[in-house]
């Protein structure tokens, strides 16, 4: 049972009890009033009769008994009259009392004491009121008595009418209460509590934007105002917790990345010492063999393969050292659009898959930034080449620049460089790892260091690089670079943001 129904039941039960008690008291009060009126009427009639007999009867009041029994029987509500002699025997009786039960009264005691007696007696299912009064002679001695019996139909009807009237009034009031009270409780208590419960469920789901009706001026209104203020505080606290969680996650990623770089630095130094020197010796001997005369073409081809593989290993070691050492950028004022155009020219000079194209979408009048143009060109070139490999023989790669007045932290302005392709996209499982060192989807043809080095270069410029990808709609790398901000290697505030959405697919990227 709901709270509103319980309150309604409790209220109606209380009202019923109070009204029931009031009905009982009202009926009893009506009964007492009617009995008092009846007693007064019988008493008046009896005293009048007694006074008349005492005055006119003298020493022989008996001579008036028969006439009085007939005359008094015609009075309204008087059932009849009986007269008794000195011994308590009936000497005259109204015709209406013939064969009727009379009250059991000590008539002789009334005559001797000259004290009247009255009360109620039952005749079958009917109730009668009687009064026995003494009759005295001229000397004041009791010589007889009379009995007056009052019928109660008028009393009974009046009592019944008043009781019915009280009952109907009570039932009408109960009906009105049953219609009004539940509606008032439902509107004033049940519905606000239901809204509170719904709001609490929404809070449990993390939604704090719903507000309650706080226009009421009663306790419910004050509760709604306090509840809304609590929701505002909870929403603010939730935002702070999210920001703090993101900050902690960023710091954890930065620490993990620093740990990886430390390990890579140690590995790169060891490899450069242990492998680099022997490789240089092997490459020098191979080049000497290649310069010798008299070698058949088959042997020259084998030697060229050896030299190319040595160069490949040496390039990998150089990339590893570049990633581990994070070289300082040589900063100067640079036009980002000029760097993008040079990348487009370099890619155009290289062999491209037939049908693939590189499209420029540059925002004019971009402000200059403090950057190392060679390092930026290296980043954009790596991203563009990866994008061309992703689109294959059909598709396009778009290089776009855009000025953003304020970044997500409100510290702008920033210049965003977009490298977008129309390839198959990146698989969601691979998105969080695309910037990890040695992670590649190209198999043996990739080293997995290109995007990691690009990320380090962007971070060294206090920028941000992130990737977005959607199933079947390609991938987009965004580089955000600050405009005219002092750059230092020790600033680690900018980190890589990787957003993964469901249903994405992977292409080959390193």
């Amino acid at each position: 049972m709901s709270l509103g129904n319980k309150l309604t039941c409790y209220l109606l039960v209380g009202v019923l009890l109070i009204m029931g008690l009031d009905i009982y008291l009202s009926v009893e009060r009506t009964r007492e009033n009617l009995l008092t009126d009846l007693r007064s009427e019988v008493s008046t009639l009896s005293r009048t009769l007694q006074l008349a007999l005492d005055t006119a009867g003298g020493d022989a009041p008996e001579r008036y008994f028969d006439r009085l029994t007939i005359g008094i029987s015609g009075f309204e509500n008087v059932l009849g009259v009986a007269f008794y002699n000195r011994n308590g025997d009936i000497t005259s009786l109204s015709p209406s009392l013939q064969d009727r039960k009379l009250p059991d009264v000590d008539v002789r005691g009334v005559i001797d004491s000259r004290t009247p007696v009255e009360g109620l007696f039952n005749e079958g299912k009917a109730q009668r009121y009687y009064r026995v009064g003494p009759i005295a002679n001229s000397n004041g001695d009791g010589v007889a008595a009379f009995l007056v019996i009052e019928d109660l139909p008028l009393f009974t009807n009046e009592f019944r009418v008043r009781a019915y009237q009280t009952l109907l009034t009570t039932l009408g009031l109960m009906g009105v209460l049953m219609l009004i009270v539940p509606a008032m409780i439902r509107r004033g208590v049940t519905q606000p509590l239901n809204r509170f419960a719904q709001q609490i469920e929404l809070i449990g789901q993390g939604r704090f934007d719903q507000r309650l009706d706080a226009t009421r001026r009663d306790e419910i209104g004050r509760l709604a105002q306090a509840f809304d203020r609590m929701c505002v505080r909870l929403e603010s606290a939730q935002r702070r917790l999210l920001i703090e969680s993101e900050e902690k996650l960023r710091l954890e990623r930065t620490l993990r990345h620093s740990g990886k770089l430390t390990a890579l630095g140690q590995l790169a130094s060891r490899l450069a010492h242990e492998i680099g020197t022997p490789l240089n010796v092997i490459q020098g001997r191979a080049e000497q063999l290649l310069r010798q005369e008299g070698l058949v073409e088959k042997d020259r081809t084998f030697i060229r393969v050896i030299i190319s593989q040595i160069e490949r290993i040496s390039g990998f070691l150089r990339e590893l050292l570049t990633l581990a050492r994070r070289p300082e950028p040589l900063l100067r004022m640079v036009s980002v659009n000029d760097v993008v155009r040079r990348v487009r020219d370099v890619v155009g000079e290289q062999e491209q898959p037939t049908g693939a194209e590189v499209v420029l979408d540059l925002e004019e009048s971009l402000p200059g930034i403090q950057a190392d143009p060679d390092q930026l060109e290296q980043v954009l070139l790596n991203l563009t080449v990866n994008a061309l490999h992703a689109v294959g023989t059909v598709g396009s790669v778009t290089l776009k620049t855009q000025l953003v007045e304020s970044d997500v932290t409100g510290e702008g302005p920033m210049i965003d460089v977009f490298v977008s392709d129309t390839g198959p996209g990146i698989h969601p499982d691979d998105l969080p790892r695309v910037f990890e060192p040695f992670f590649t989807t190209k198999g043996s043809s990739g080293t997995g260091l290109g995007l990691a080095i690009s990320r380090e270069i962007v971070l060294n410029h206090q920028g941000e690089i992130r990737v977005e990808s959607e199933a079947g709609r390609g991938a987009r790398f965004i580089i955000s670079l600050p405009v005219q901000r002092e750059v230092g290697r020790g600033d680690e505030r900018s980190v890589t943001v990787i957003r993964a959405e469901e249903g994405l697919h992977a292409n080959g990227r390193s």
Side-chain angles (χ1 to χ4, degrees):
M1 183 181 293
S2 66
L3 178 60
N5 292 335
K6 290 181 179 178
L7 289 175
T8 302
C9 291
Y10 295 154
L11 182 60
L12 292 180
V13 168
V15 171
L16 279 175
L17 292 176
I18 295 175
M19 287 190 168
L21 180 61
D22 180 68
I23 291 174
Y24 173 77
L25 295 177
S26 297
V27 169
E28 288 296 318
R29 185 167 56 253
T30 301
R31 182 174 180 276
E32 291 295 331
N33 292 336
L34 290 175
L35 285 175
T36 300
D37 293 342
L38 182 62
R39 185 181 299 112
S40 177
E41 180 181 347
V42 174
S43 177
T44 301
L45 178 61
S46 298
R47 287 197 298 270
T48 302
L49 180 61
Q50 184 180 8
L51 180 61
L53 289 173
D54 290 345
T55 303
D59 294 332
E62 295 87 355
R63 63 180 180 272
Y64 299 105
F65 287 173
D66 292 336
R67 188 185 303 173
L68 289 174
T69 55
I70 297 174
I72 295 177
S73 298
F75 287 4
E76 185 180 5
N77 297 329
V78 177
L79 187 59
V81 180
F83 290 94
Y84 298 86
N85 59 22
R86 181 73 178 79
N87 298 322
D89 299 324
I90 296 176
T91 60
S92 181
L93 183 65
S94 296
S96 58
L97 296 181
Q98 297 292 337
D99 300 326
R100 285 182 177 273
K101 178 184 177 181
L102 299 179
D104 185 11
V105 181
D106 184 8
V107 178
R108 293 188 61 180
V110 172
I111 296 173
D112 294 339
S113 64
R114 299 191 64 185
T115 302
V117 177
E118 61 183 348
L120 294 171
F121 75 100
N122 293 322
E123 183 185 2
K125 295 183 178 180
Q127 208 174 32
R128 315 295 183 191
Y129 192 85
Y130 70 92
R131 181 182 175 91
V132 179
I135 301 173
N137 57 18
S138 58
N139 296 324
D141 298 327
V143 296
F146 65 88
L147 168 67
V148 179
I149 298 179
E150 181 92 5
D151 200 2
L152 298 182
L154 179 63
F155 167 77
T156 304
N157 292 335
E158 181 69 17
F159 177 75
R160 186 181 297 112
V161 169
R162 295 190 185 183
Y164 284 164
Q165 183 179 5
T166 303
L167 180 61
L168 290 176
T169 302
T170 303
L171 291 178
L173 182 58
M174 282 296 302
V176 173
L177 288 176
M178 291 181 67
L179 292 176
I180 296 177
V181 171
M184 294 179 61
I185 292 178
R186 181 169 56 254
R187 183 177 181 274
V189 178
T190 305
Q191 291 179 353
L193 290 181
N194 286 335
R195 288 194 290 270
F196 283 144
Q198 294 172 1
Q199 181 70 359
I200 291 173
E201 292 178 357
L202 292 176
I203 291 176
Q205 299 171 4
R207 295 180 55 186
F208 302 91
D209 54 339
Q210 301 296 323
R211 294 293 179 263
L212 297 172
D213 181 13
T215 59
R216 297 175 53 167
R217 298 182 179 274
D218 55 6
E219 290 79 1
I220 297 293
R222 291 195 294 271
L223 179 61
Q225 294 174 2
F227 195 89
D228 287 343
R229 289 194 295 268
M230 182 191 70
C231 290
V232 172
R233 291 193 294 268
L234 287 176
E235 186 176 11
S236 177
Q238 185 190 44
R239 286 197 297 266
R240 289 196 300 270
L241 287 176
L242 289 176
I243 294 174
E244 291 174 0
S245 298
E246 292 176 356
E247 182 67 16
K248 290 179 180 179
L249 181 61
R250 182 189 67 81
L251 292 175
E252 290 176 0
R253 289 177 176 173
T254 302
L255 290 175
R256 288 197 299 268
H257 184 71
S258 299
K260 291 179 181 179
L261 290 182
T262 301
L264 284 176
Q266 296 175 352
L267 176 62
S269 300
R270 185 70 178 271
L271 288 176
H273 177 73
E274 298 294 338
I275 300 177
T277 301
L279 283 179
N280 290 334
V281 174
I282 295 173
Q283 184 177 1
R285 296 294 187 268
E287 290 174 351
Q288 289 180 359
L289 290 175
L290 188 61
R291 289 193 295 267
Q292 289 183 359
E293 298 180 357
L295 289 176
V296 297
E297 188 60 30
K298 181 178 179 181
D299 292 337
R300 291 182 180 275
T301 301
F302 287 160
I303 294 174
R304 291 193 186 98
V305 170
I306 293 173
I307 294 174
S308 66
Q309 293 302 313
I310 292 174
E311 291 177 348
R312 182 171 181 272
I313 296 174
S314 299
F316 174 77
L317 290 177
R318 285 193 300 271
E319 289 181 353
L320 191 60
L321 287 172
T322 301
L323 177 64
R325 292 174 180 173
R326 298 182 65 179
E328 290 285 349
L330 301 177
L331 302 179
R332 65 174 185 268
M333 290 300 298
V334 174
S335 170
V336 176
N337 285 344
D338 291 343
V339 177
V340 173
R341 291 188 183 97
R342 284 201 302 272
V343 171
R344 171 65 180 83
D345 295 338
V346 171
V347 172
E349 295 173 358
Q350 298 177 356
E351 295 184 0
Q352 300 181 34
T354 304
E357 61 177 342
V358 178
V359 180
L360 296 183
D361 182 10
L362 307 180
E363 181 176 336
E364 300 298 332
S365 303
L366 288 179
I369 64 172
Q370 290 284 339
D372 186 324
D374 294 333
Q375 291 188 4
L376 289 184
E377 182 177 340
Q378 177 184 354
V379 172
L380 293 175
L381 184 61
N382 181 69
L383 295 177
T384 304
V385 171
N386 284 347
L388 288 171
H389 290 165
V391 299
T393 58
V394 179
S396 64
V397 176
T398 301
L399 303 180
K400 177 183 177 181
T401 58
Q402 175 182 317
L403 177 64
V404 180
E405 294 300 331
S406 177
D407 64 0
V408 294
T409 62
E411 298 179 0
M414 307 285 285
I415 293 179
D416 287 349
V417 183
F418 302 87
V419 180
S420 308
D421 64 65
T422 58
I426 303 174
H427 193 276
D429 294 339
D430 295 335
L431 265 176
R433 304 184 59 194
V434 294
F435 295 109
E436 291 183 1
F438 306 112
F439 176 79
T440 180
T441 59
K442 294 182 179 181
S444 60
S445 61
T447 62
L449 293 176
L451 290 179
I453 293 175
S454 299
R455 176 180 183 272
E456 289 305 311
I457 292 175
V458 173
L459 287 178
N460 217 25
H461 284 74
Q462 291 189 357
E464 175 185 87
I465 182 171
R466 57 191 184 276
V467 59
E468 299 173 350
S469 185
E470 191 173 343
R473 301 185 63 177
R476 182 172 71 167
F477 286 82
I478 305 102
I479 301 172
S480 298
L481 299 171
V483 175
Q484 294 181 348
R485 182 190 298 175
E486 184 180 354
V487 183
R489 180 175 178 176
D491 192 346
E492 297 290 344
R493 287 178 296 174
S494 300
V495 297
T496 302
V497 178
I498 302 174
R499 295 201 299 265
E501 299 181 4
E502 295 183 358
L504 308 182
H505 302 284
N507 64 2
R509 296 180 185 273
S510 63

